[in-house]
Amino acid sequence: MHRTRQIITAVMGTLGVLLIARGVWGGVWPVSVQLVAGVALVVYAVLRWRYTL
């Protein structure tokens, strides 16, 4: 179960980074949904990795 949580957290972080890259691809302004979702996923993954694993 612990290993599954690690994998899910790593996938969420990777997906967040990819969404950030997609959001920045066309420029940072106007802020895109992909950029916001990517930042949220990365923050959630970091917090989950740090405090629950």
Side-chain angles (χ1 to χ4, degrees):
M1 188 67 152
H2 181 69
R3 185 73 175 154
T4 305
R5 287 182 183 168
Q6 286 179 333
I7 292 170
I8 290 171
T9 303
V11 168
M12 285 174 36
T14 303
L15 182 60
V17 169
L18 291 173
L19 283 172
I20 290 171
R22 171 83 169 126
V24 172
W25 187 267
V28 179
W29 192 258
V31 177
S32 66
V33 174
Q34 289 91 359
L35 183 63
V36 173
V39 170
L41 274 175
V42 168
V43 168
Y44 182 71
V46 167
L47 290 175
R48 184 173 175 170
W49 187 272
R50 184 170 185 162
Y51 294 113
T52 62
L53 296 179

